[in-house]
Amino acid sequence: MDRNLPLAVLCGLVMGLGIYWFLSPDWFVAGGTAAVHAGAGYFYFAFDISLLGSSIQFDDRIDRLGYAIGLFGLCVSPMAFAQYYGQQGATTLPFVILFVGVIAFLLFISEAQRQTEYIH
């Protein structure tokens, strides 16, 4: 039996319940976070992907600088966005956790797509 999907749903539920109990008593925020992390978890378990295991490398110095600037923006923008639109500190951490899940999900599905292209 394929256990990847139930395991991913369990990870999503744990994440969502943790958000709901400890950070934000809003089911909409917790449910969205749970769904994103369940999706990321599925691809993590099903395709043997590591979030920190892959690295993107550029040979040109300008390309590396552009990549570094983009990563900095990616790291800082969720906190800035949550600070601007959220209540003072009440939604910042759940939003950052959700945003990290979105990034993981997008990286995992792109890597899973590459792995399936090699199979077919």
Side-chain angles (χ1 to χ4, degrees):
M1 181 178 162
D2 189 17
R3 296 184 182 167
N4 297 327
L5 187 59
L7 226 115
V9 169
L10 179 66
C11 288
L13 286 174
V14 167
M15 222 26 183
L17 289 173
I19 293 288
Y20 181 78
W21 285 334
F22 299 113
L23 298 174
S24 175
D26 183 358
W27 279 107
F28 191 56
V29 172
T33 304
V36 166
H37 282 273
Y42 172 76
F43 287 103
Y44 178 79
F45 294 127
F47 288 91
D48 190 31
I49 301 170
S50 173
L51 182 60
L52 300 176
S54 63
S55 64
I56 299 172
Q57 297 179 358
F58 295 102
D59 295 329
D60 190 12
R61 176 176 267 173
I62 298 297
D63 293 339
R64 282 186 266 169
L65 180 61
Y67 181 63
I69 292 170
L71 282 180
F72 176 76
L74 196 58
C75 293
V76 174
S77 63
M79 292 178 283
F81 191 86
Q83 178 94 21
Y84 183 75
Y85 286 107
Q87 302 164 358
Q88 291 295 1
T91 60
T92 302
L93 190 55
F95 183 79
V96 170
I97 292 170
L98 172 66
F99 200 83
V100 168
V102 168
I103 293 168
F105 177 71
L106 293 174
L107 286 174
F108 289 160
I109 61 172
S110 66
E111 181 62 29
Q113 178 66 36
R114 271 183 265 168
Q115 287 183 12
T116 58
E117 286 176 356
Y118 293 127
I119 294 171
H120 299 300

